[in-house]
Amino acid sequence: MKAWPPGFLKINSGIDIMTKFLRSSKFVEYSAGTIVAQYAILFVSLVSSIITARLLGPAGLGQLTLLLLIPWFATVFGRMGVGHSVNYHFGKLSPAKIIVNSLILSGVLGILCMAATFPVAYFFKGTLLKDVNWNLIIFSIFFIPFYVLSDHLAGLLQGLYKLHLRNIIYFFQAVINLVMMAFFVILMKWGVSGAVGASMFSLVFLAFALAVPVMKEIKGKELKVDLNIMKQIFGYGLKSHVGNITKDLSYRINMPIINYYLMPISVGYYTIAVQLAEVIWKIPESISSVLLPKIVQMKKEQAYLFTPLIMRTLFVPLLACCLAVLVFGQALIVLIYGKEFLPSASLIVFLLPGILSLSFWKIIISDLIAQGHAEKYSATSVLSLATMVILNLLLIPVMGIQGAAIALSLSYIATTGLALIFYARLTKNSFKNLLLPTAADVDIYKKLLGVGSPRT
């Protein structure tokens, strides 16, 4: 009798399961739709970015980035993992009750978060926020409740699996932000103040637009406070909250550190380089947003086959995207933003290894959260933040903004490595099975398309 290679039977026994799942579910449709929507939003946002970069210059863009980071950081600390928690509980509790009680939590958390941010911002205004207008800082803080509410409403739409609708709303938010940016910055010539105002206007639109379809899921008799449901939502949210904080801080913590050691103009250069490199993330982020609620509905045996298949499928296209950004990055920056942003181009080669690495982390973590392993998400995120801060403090004083780019890559690589170890041990998958495409994958795609038959 023929001896099969290790892992061959496991992979091939899943071909029929995966083919049936891909045909019957809307995973492929929603993933493709979300990717298209993300790049449409990216295009509109790119136009807004060009307006702000060219009219404000590197220094003005740096100030704008720091101003928008204030409510963003506050939301990172204040949302308490509710977005992930509602996704986890949608298959276990009444959707209407989840919506009502999570929105009450959102209101309370948003107000508390706003109140706590005022003294923190005042404390840092002469260091991490130096050279940033204090009146604009106060203005941005007042919109923190809308940030928290929008984050939780987006999580509710994800849990309801109304992903097409969520994508449409985010696209129109980007369009409104572009229109208001053109009006305030180009026509009114309000500079940084106008750019902040445009961002906040589009944020308020986003909150109300997301609320409309969510509230339609509730009937009058279901508008009831349930402290037990709040406790469950809040309790699971806390498990992933540490991960949310440390993950999001690791994305942007180096910007105020750059401002502390250098100045807003350096933040402007770094912002453009990161924006270009993170274009690659639109693919894994789109897929992970569809993957999380879908994994909740799957059996573990299916998930252990399906998530590695997604990762292996992404490997080649993500690598190709990185190479394209590496080759054309400098030309794009000069063409789009102008020669004054040329220092941004030198950062791309240092950023890309980390950006590619964390693309796979995003897929793994969505699976782990969906299966109730939020503590592993937190562990990897803590590692990311710790290494990010330490390396930034060591490298920025010596190497400037290039040191920040190197710190980002090393941090993301370490984080993804730990996530791969966690996932491989949990699912008994090898690293090779997680990352390298196989012949069995080709069989799945052939059968899905009705071409040929599985290998035997």
Side-chain angles (χ1 to χ4, degrees):
M1 185 174 180
K2 184 176 181 179
W4 298 103
F8 183 85
L9 290 176
K10 180 180 179 182
I11 294 171
N12 283 271
S13 65
I15 292 177
D16 289 335
I17 296 173
M18 290 299 99
T19 305
K20 182 179 179 181
F21 173 78
L22 287 168
R23 281 176 171 170
S24 62
S25 77
K26 289 187 175 293
F27 181 84
V28 175
E29 177 187 343
Y30 283 163
S31 295
T34 303
I35 291 172
V36 171
Q38 285 291 319
Y39 279 101
I41 293 168
L42 176 66
F43 175 78
V44 178
S45 300
L46 177 63
V47 179
S48 298
S49 176
I50 293 170
I51 291 173
T52 54
R54 285 193 171 270
L55 295 181
L56 302 181
L61 180 62
Q63 291 183 50
L64 175 63
T65 300
L66 292 167
L67 283 164
L68 297 181
L69 279 176
I70 295 170
W72 185 82
F73 276 135
T75 304
V76 167
F77 281 99
R79 62 191 177 189
M80 304 305 290
V82 172
H84 283 156
S85 184
V86 295
N87 271 273
Y88 177 74
H89 283 98
F90 259 117
K92 303 169 179 61
L93 300 172
S94 163
K97 291 180 179 179
I98 292 174
I99 292 169
V100 170
N101 290 281
S102 64
L103 290 181
I104 293 172
L105 276 175
S106 295
V108 174
L109 291 172
I111 293 171
L112 291 175
C113 197
M114 178 182 67
T117 303
F118 283 107
V120 175
Y122 185 80
F123 180 79
F124 286 113
K125 75 172 188 175
T127 53
L128 299 180
L129 297 174
K130 67 182 181 183
D131 299 325
V132 181
N133 187 294
W134 175 246
N135 290 330
L136 289 178
I137 291 176
I138 295 175
F139 178 74
S140 67
I141 290 174
F142 276 113
F143 288 87
I144 289 173
F146 288 98
Y147 274 85
V148 176
L149 180 62
S150 297
D151 181 87
H152 292 169
L153 286 167
L156 288 167
L157 276 183
Q158 184 180 7
L160 291 167
Y161 224 54
K162 295 189 174 183
L163 299 171
H164 287 345
L165 184 57
R166 189 192 67 171
N167 294 335
I168 291 170
I169 292 172
Y170 272 105
F171 174 76
F172 277 105
Q173 184 217 8
V175 171
I176 288 174
N177 183 66
L178 171 60
V179 172
M180 299 311 297
M181 194 76 69
F183 178 75
F184 288 144
V185 179
I186 297 177
L187 295 180
M188 301 303 294
K189 298 182 179 180
W190 287 353
V192 175
S193 301
V196 174
S199 296
M200 299 309 162
F201 187 95
S202 68
L203 171 67
V204 173
F205 163 82
L206 176 66
F208 281 103
L210 290 171
V212 171
V214 169
M215 296 305 293
K216 286 182 179 179
E217 299 292 322
I218 306 172
K219 297 178 181 178
K221 62 181 180 180
E222 295 171 318
L223 288 168
K224 187 171 73 172
V225 177
D226 190 322
L227 294 179
N228 184 51
I229 290 180
M230 276 195 198
K231 184 178 178 181
Q232 291 183 60
I233 294 173
F234 192 75
Y236 187 80
L238 285 178
K239 291 182 179 180
S240 66
H241 186 48
V242 174
N244 283 336
I245 291 175
T246 50
K247 180 258 295 183
D248 288 340
L249 287 181
S250 68
Y251 285 165
R252 297 293 181 262
I253 192 65
N254 44 13
M255 291 187 177
I257 297 176
I258 291 170
N259 193 54
Y260 175 77
Y261 282 112
L262 304 172
M263 56 189 67
I265 191 171
S266 297
V267 178
Y269 293 141
Y270 186 82
T271 298
I272 294 301
V274 169
Q275 284 180 356
L276 180 59
E278 287 182 356
V279 168
I280 297 162
W281 277 354
K282 298 302 178 183
I283 298 174
E285 283 180 346
S286 300
I287 293 175
S288 65
S289 69
V290 182
L291 182 67
L292 195 156
K294 182 55 65 177
I295 291 292
V296 170
Q297 304 169 18
M298 297 175 71
K299 295 179 180 179
K300 285 187 177 181
E301 293 76 12
Q302 287 181 313
Y304 290 171
L305 289 170
F306 187 66
T307 299
L309 171 64
I310 298 301
M311 292 178 62
R312 295 193 302 268
T313 303
L314 286 176
F315 185 82
V316 173
L318 286 176
L319 184 60
C321 287
C322 285
L323 292 174
V325 172
L326 182 63
V327 172
F328 300 108
Q330 178 173 321
L332 285 172
I333 287 174
V334 174
L335 176 66
I336 295 173
Y337 297 103
K339 290 183 178 180
E340 61 181 334
F341 281 95
L342 190 58
S344 301
S346 64
L347 305 178
I348 293 176
V349 67
F350 300 110
L351 292 170
L352 285 177
I355 296 294
L356 176 62
S357 176
L358 208 72
S359 299
F360 297 102
W361 176 88
K362 291 175 179 291
I363 303 297
I364 296 171
I365 289 304
S366 289
D367 185 299
L368 291 175
I369 290 173
Q371 295 193 53
H373 298 286
E375 72 285 351
K376 290 181 171 57
Y377 165 52
S378 296
T380 59
S381 298
V382 168
L383 174 64
S384 178
L385 179 62
T387 54
M388 180 74 74
V389 171
I390 292 171
L391 290 172
N392 269 282
L393 294 177
L394 291 174
L395 297 178
I396 292 176
V398 178
M399 304 179 65
I401 51 176
Q402 288 188 348
I406 294 171
L408 179 145
S409 269
L410 293 177
S411 171
Y412 288 174
I413 291 170
T415 301
T416 304
L418 181 60
L420 283 169
I421 291 172
F422 282 152
Y423 192 79
R425 288 180 177 177
L426 179 68
T427 64
K428 309 303 180 186
N429 276 297
S430 66
F431 285 2
K432 179 180 178 181
N433 191 42
L434 291 174
L435 296 174
L436 299 182
T438 67
D441 298 341
V442 177
D443 288 332
I444 292 176
Y445 302 132
K446 283 183 177 180
K447 192 168 184 182
L448 183 64
L449 297 171
V451 179
S453 58
R455 297 169 65 91
T456 58

